[in-house]
Amino acid sequence: MDKITEELERKRKKAIEGGGEKRLAAQHAKGKLSARERIHVLADKDSFEEYDMFVEHRSKDFGMDKNIIPGDGVVTGHCKINGRSVFVFSQDFTVYGGSLSETHAEKICKILDQAIKLGCPIIGLNDSGGARIQEGVASLGGYAEVFQRNVLASGVIPQISVIMGPCAGGAVYSPAITDFIFMVKDSSYMFVTGPDVVKTVTHEDVSAEELGGSNSHTKKSGVVDLSFENDVLALEETRRLLDFLPLSNKDKPPIKKIIDPVSRKSGNLDTLIPDNSNIPYDMKELVLSIIDEEDFFEIQTDYAKNIIVGFGRIGGETIGIVANQPMVLAGCLDIDSSRKAARFIRFCDCFNIPIITFVDVPGFLPGTSQEHNGIIAHGAKLLYAYAEATVPKVTVITRKAYGGAYDVMASKHLRGDVNYAWPTAEIAVMGSKGAVEIIYRGSSEKEIIKKSKEYQKKFSNPFIAASRGYLDDLIRPNNTRYRIYRSLDLLKTKKLSNPAKKHGNIPL
Ligand code: HXC
C-alpha cells in the first residue's frame, strides 16, 4: 500500500511540475501565469477539483514513450466561480508547448460531456502550439472531437474561451464556436495560418502580432470580444462575465442584491438629446443611467462601435442591451454592427436573457463597399435574430428610427413586447430632406427646404407610430429605468415559442 501511495505522490508531483522549472521560468518571463496559477486566479478559493491528472499519452514514435508527463499538457476539472459550478480546462504550455494530443483532447472532451450533462458553463484557457506534431492524425481527430462537442454545447451551456498564448491552425475553431473569446494583450495570438505560410503563399510580410494579435482581432476581424493587459485581468473579467450568465439554457441568470432603487430617476436623460437632431450624443450615458449601479459588461468595445452591446442588470436581474451609438457613423447599421448585434441577441435568446433595445438609427449605411460585401445578408442576420428571439424584448426609441432600420431594431412588428419612445423620437421612412428630394424631384432649393420642414413636422415625431399602436407608450426620459423595470417584471411570465422545426436557416 505504501508503495502505491509513494507512486501516486511521485506521479502527482510530476504532473504538478509539468514541463519543469526551466520551462515554467520561461513562461513567467513572458509575463504569463502557469496553467495551474491561472485556475487559481479563476476559481473560488480551494474550489478546484482536478480530473485526469494521471492520464498519459499513448504515443510511441519519436521517443515519446520515454517522455511522459502525467496530465499530458492540460489541467482539467471543475471549480466554483462565485459559488456556482463551472468546468475548466487550462492548457500547460510547459508540456510539449500545450500541444493537443489524442489524450489531451479526451480530457477536454470528458469535461465538455459532463458540462453539457450537468448544465454547467465551460471555460477554456488556451495556450497551445496546436496539434501534437509527434501524433499526427490522432491529434487532428482529437480536435474534431472537441469541435463536435463545442457545437453540441452551443446554446445549452455558456462557453468562454480565453486565449493566453498561441492558438493557431485549426485549433482556433474551438474558441471560434464558443460564445465569448477574450485575449491577453501582447502574449497571445490566433490565426489559421501563421506569418511564414502567409509569406510563402501571398508574399506578405506580417508579424504574428499584426496578423493575429489582440489588436487585430478586437478591432479589425471582430473574432475576439475583449482583450486585457495581463492574465490576471483577463481571468478576473471572465469571473465577472460569468456572474451575468445562467449556468445553462434551463437556468436563469443569478439575481444580484442591489441597493440601486428601480424607481431611481435619471434627470440627465431629459437633456441628453440635442435640439438639433443631426448632432450626436453618447448613447452610453443612457445605458449607464438605466442599469443597476452603472455595472455594464460591454462586449466588443473596440469593434463596430456604431452599436453597443453588453450585459447589465435592472432590479438585480440580468438584461442584454443593444443600442445604436449616434457618436459613430451617426448610429447607422452596417455589416459589422449587424453581425455584432445579431450574435449577441442570439446569445441572449439562447440563455433566457431579456433584450433591451435603444434605438437611434438613421438607416443602413449606404455605399458600394457595404452593398458589395453583403449588407443585405448581414443586415438580415440582425433582422432574423430579433425576429426569432422569444425572450422578453423591450424597446425604447430615443430619436431616429428610419426606414428598414426601424423595422429591424426590435420593432413591434418583430414581436417587441413593450415598445416605448421618448417625445424626441422621429419615426419615418427616411430623413425629411431625402424624402422630399424624391417626392419633389426637380423643385427649387427653396421649395425643397420648405417642403422638408413640412415633412419633418408631419413625420418626425412619435405620434403617428403611437396612433397605430406601434408604440405602447411615450415615456419621459428620466423615468426610463423604472418603465423598463416594470415591463420586465410584467414579462416574467412570457411564454412564446416558434413553430416546430429542426432549425431555422439564418442567412449566414
Ligand atoms: C509538439 C510542440 C508543439 C507541437 C510546440 N511544441 N509546439 N510539441 N507539438 N505542436 C514544443 C516545442 O518542441 C518546445 O519543446 C515547446 O513546445 C515550446 O516550444 P518553443 O518553440 O520553444 O516555444 P516558442 O518559441 O514560444 O514558440 C511557440 C510556437 C512554436 C510558436 C507555438 O512552438 C511553434 O510554432 N510550434 C509549432 C506550431 C504548429 O505548427 N503546430 C501545428 C499546427 S497545425 P521543448 O521540449 O523544447 O520545450 C494544427 C492543426 C490543427 O494545429 C488542426 C485542427 C483541425
Side-chain angles (χ1 to χ4, degrees):
M1 189 65 186
D2 277 356
K3 263 201 164 154
I4 292 178
T5 313
E6 257 172 44
E7 174 70 356
L8 181 73
E9 283 316 310
R10 193 188 61 75
K11 279 186 187 263
R12 194 187 298 279
K13 190 162 170 277
K14 198 160 181 219
I16 290 170
E17 277 169 2
E21 265 177 39
K22 224 171 108 195
R23 291 187 183 90
L24 179 61
Q27 176 90 346
H28 286 157
K30 289 180 200 155
K32 293 159 71 178
L33 296 177
S34 73
R36 285 197 161 72
E37 287 164 348
R38 286 169 176 162
I39 292 178
H40 185 75
V41 176
L42 181 72
D44 291 353
K45 196 166 180 289
D46 297 331
S47 69
F48 179 61
E49 183 158 325
E50 187 166 346
Y51 284 176
D52 290 340
M53 187 187 245
F54 306 109
V55 161
E56 297 174 353
H57 69 71
R58 304 179 191 112
S59 178
K60 295 205 173 11
D61 298 324
F62 306 103
M64 290 293 280
D65 47 344
K66 292 181 192 65
N67 198 354
I68 287 175
I69 298 174
D72 204 27
V74 63
V75 183
T76 61
H78 59 85
C79 65
K80 300 268 186 194
I81 291 187
N82 288 328
R84 298 189 305 154
S85 292
V86 172
F87 283 87
V88 60
F89 70 84
S90 180
Q91 291 177 314
D92 184 350
F93 191 77
T94 71
V95 179
Y96 295 119
S99 58
L100 185 134
S101 66
E102 184 184 21
T103 42
H104 178 129
E106 283 169 4
K107 287 180 66 173
I108 296 175
C109 289
K110 185 195 263 187
I111 59 163
L112 265 162
D113 288 339
Q114 283 227 13
I116 296 168
K117 194 164 61 186
L118 306 183
C120 298
I122 182 147
I123 298 172
L125 310 181
N126 296 259
D127 189 357
S128 167
R132 177 89 45 92
I133 293 166
Q134 294 89 336
E135 288 202 8
V137 72
S139 162
L140 297 185
Y143 267 119
E145 297 283 345
V146 175
F147 302 157
Q148 176 67 65
R149 284 162 178 81
N150 287 137
V151 172
L152 296 179
S154 182
V156 177
I157 51 169
Q159 303 183 82
I160 303 171
S161 301
V162 191
I163 315 299
M164 312 186 90
C167 184
V172 296
Y173 286 111
S174 170
I177 299 163
T178 63
D179 299 300
F180 298 103
I181 309 180
F182 295 165
M183 276 181 100
V184 180
K185 285 181 188 163
D186 302 324
S187 59
S188 68
Y189 51 83
M190 296 178 82
F191 36 66
V192 174
T193 46
D196 294 344
V197 178
V198 170
K199 172 93 179 148
T200 310
V201 177
T202 70
H203 309 294
E204 282 173 284
D205 260 320
V206 63
S207 67
E209 178 61 30
E210 203 189 334
L211 186 63
S214 62
N215 214 27
S216 304
H217 284 311
T218 52
K219 294 183 180 153
K220 293 180 190 162
S221 72
V223 164
V224 170
D225 295 295
L226 293 168
S227 63
F228 300 98
E229 293 299 328
N230 54 51
D231 284 15
V232 172
L233 279 176
L235 296 164
E236 282 174 347
E237 286 299 294
T238 305
R239 283 176 61 90
R240 193 176 146 236
L241 170 61
L242 209 81
D243 278 353
F244 286 94
L245 309 182
L247 296 177
S248 74
N249 61 343
K250 302 244 164 64
D251 189 33
K252 292 259 182 207
I255 299 175
K256 195 174 174 196
K257 280 206 177 83
I258 50 131
I259 47 169
D260 195 357
V262 289
S263 57
R264 169 176 55 77
K265 294 242 193 306
S266 314
N268 58 317
L269 298 183
D270 287 333
T271 52
L272 182 65
I273 307 291
D275 289 340
N276 179 340
S277 78
N278 291 323
I279 292 181
Y281 60 92
D282 190 359
M283 185 62 98
K284 227 172 263 179
E285 187 178 333
L286 166 55
V287 172
L288 293 177
S289 295
I290 63 107
I291 59 177
D292 294 346
E293 295 162 3
E294 297 197 356
D295 187 9
F296 185 45
F297 197 99
E298 188 173 353
I299 306 290
Q300 295 202 311
T301 43
D302 290 331
Y303 183 74
K305 291 180 176 186
N306 41 334
I307 207 152
I308 300 167
V309 302
F311 301 106
R313 295 183 191 88
I314 292 187
E317 300 198 34
T318 300
I319 50 171
I321 294 168
V322 180
N324 306 116
Q325 172 56 288
M327 304 274 281
V328 181
L329 292 174
C332 269
L333 286 173
D334 62 354
I335 291 171
D336 294 346
S337 57
S338 299
R339 285 177 44 228
K340 170 178 167 178
R343 184 153 169 79
F344 180 74
I345 290 161
R346 295 194 100 213
F347 178 85
C348 292
D349 193 43
C350 289
F351 291 106
N352 314 314
I353 298 173
I355 299 163
I356 312 299
T357 305
F358 294 113
V359 184
D360 188 348
V361 59
F364 280 95
L365 187 66
T368 49
S369 160
Q370 288 290 309
E371 296 292 349
H372 294 173
N373 286 298
I375 183 65
I376 295 173
H378 296 293
K381 289 176 187 166
L382 180 57
L383 166 61
Y384 192 112
Y386 266 126
E388 78 172 341
T390 55
V391 289
K393 294 187 278 196
V394 179
T395 305
V396 182
I397 301 174
T398 60
R399 190 168 63 178
K400 296 171 190 171
Y402 287 169
Y406 155 75
D407 278 341
V408 169
M409 294 299 294
S411 64
K412 197 55 142 181
H413 325 283
L414 301 186
R415 303 190 295 185
D417 295 299
V418 181
N419 293 63
Y420 293 131
W422 287 2
T424 42
E426 306 168 13
I427 302 162
V429 172
M430 55 168 65
S432 56
K433 191 156 182 289
V436 165
E437 274 170 356
I438 292 171
I439 303 171
Y440 298 100
R441 200 188 292 280
S443 301
S444 69
E445 186 62 23
K446 206 173 140 199
E447 188 69 2
I448 294 280
I449 291 170
K450 185 173 158 256
K451 292 286 180 199
S452 178
K453 278 188 184 144
E454 280 171 25
Y455 186 94
Q456 189 161 12
K457 205 166 162 215
K458 188 163 171 54
F459 292 109
S460 296
N461 59 60
F463 299 117
I464 296 175
S467 72
R468 290 182 171 267
Y470 297 169
L471 297 171
D472 297 297
D473 201 2
L474 302 176
I475 63 171
R476 285 200 307 277
N478 69 41
N479 208 21
T480 304
R481 172 177 161 84
Y482 189 49
R483 297 301 296 266
I484 294 174
Y485 166 76
R486 284 215 309 216
S487 298
L488 291 174
D489 189 48
L490 171 79
L491 293 167
K492 275 186 180 153
T493 51
K494 177 178 178 183
K495 281 197 176 59
L496 178 65
S497 51
N498 295 326
K501 57 178 114 174
K502 190 170 173 195
H503 57 71
N505 188 14
I506 188 165
L508 291 173

